[in-house]
Amino acid sequence: MALTLTGCQSSASRMAECEAQGISRDTCYLSEQNRKQSINAVAEKQAMENAANAVQHAQAAHQAPAEYKPGNLKPINVKAHGIEFKRSRDGFAYINGSLAANDENSADASVYSAGLYTVIVYKTGKINAMKEGQYVGRLK
């Protein structure tokens, strides 16, 4: 029980207890300072490990899977339902001649949009088109 309470003591009470045992004030002070430095070193080490883990996690979360990296894409050129969709190997996509934004990449599909149109390219090879949020049809 006494050991559990020592962690809850104040610095002054630990100093007084140390001096009561007949140890010099200077030695008790140095012992208390070493205790504080030790606690701070452990806390700093843990904080650095946490920060390093957070950075690694953030980097992993922001890396696109290999199939989405520029230069690794299959070029596409399809036209149906009055919509023409082109995507180069470098990842640049065009919908009806306008540069399309790559809105989303997942393990299953890539989503591109330009103006009123949205094109979803699935890993299975299927390509669906939408206009103003309404399904238009399959492009491939």
Side-chain angles (χ1 to χ4, degrees), residues 4 17 25 32 50 59-60 81 105:
T4 11
E17 191 176 296
R25 182 172 182 82
E32 183 63 21
N50 291 347
Q59 288 173 345
H81 308 287
N105 285 322

Side-chain angles (χ1 to χ4, degrees), residues 59-122:
Q59 288 173 345
H62 286 87
Q63 287 179 352
E67 61 269 15
Y68 299 117
K69 292 186 179 173
N72 198 25
L73 295 172
K74 181 180 176 185
I76 298 171
N77 189 353
V78 292
K79 185 175 184 178
H81 308 287
I83 300 171
E84 181 181 20
F85 177 74
K86 294 180 182 181
R87 182 182 72 187
S88 69
R89 181 172 296 282
D90 292 334
F92 290 103
Y94 297 87
I95 300 174
N96 291 341
S98 296
L99 185 63
N102 186 343
D103 295 334
E104 183 180 340
N105 285 322
S106 72
D108 299 321
S110 296
V111 180
Y112 300 92
S113 66
L116 304 175
Y117 297 99
T118 302
V119 174
I120 305 166
V121 180
Y122 294 95

Side-chain angles (χ1 to χ4, degrees), residues 7-140:
C8 299
Q9 290 179 332
S10 69
S11 180
S13 65
R14 279 190 296 277
M15 287 281 296
E17 191 176 296
C18 180
E19 288 178 51
Q21 294 176 7
I23 302 171
S24 76
R25 182 172 182 82
D26 291 341
T27 304
C28 291
Y29 178 79
L30 286 174
S31 175
E32 183 63 21
Q33 292 303 309
N34 287 340
R35 179 186 170 280
K36 287 180 182 179
Q37 285 179 346
S38 174
I39 290 170
N40 287 338
V42 169
E44 183 178 347
K45 180 180 181 263
Q46 187 62 51
M48 295 297 274
E49 288 175 5
N50 291 347
N53 288 340
V55 167
Q56 288 173 352
H57 180 69
Q59 288 173 345
H62 286 87
Q63 287 179 352
E67 61 269 15
Y68 299 117
K69 292 186 179 173
N72 198 25
L73 295 172
K74 181 180 176 185
I76 298 171
N77 189 353
V78 292
K79 185 175 184 178
H81 308 287
I83 300 171
E84 181 181 20
F85 177 74
K86 294 180 182 181
R87 182 182 72 187
S88 69
R89 181 172 296 282
D90 292 334
F92 290 103
Y94 297 87
I95 300 174
N96 291 341
S98 296
L99 185 63
N102 186 343
D103 295 334
E104 183 180 340
N105 285 322
S106 72
D108 299 321
S110 296
V111 180
Y112 300 92
S113 66
L116 304 175
Y117 297 99
T118 302
V119 174
I120 305 166
V121 180
Y122 294 95
K123 297 295 178 225
T124 60
K126 295 178 184 177
I127 301 173
N128 289 334
M130 298 172 65
K131 180 179 180 182
E132 295 184 33
Q134 298 294 314
Y135 179 74
V136 174
R138 182 160 291 155
L139 300 181
K140 183 177 182 183

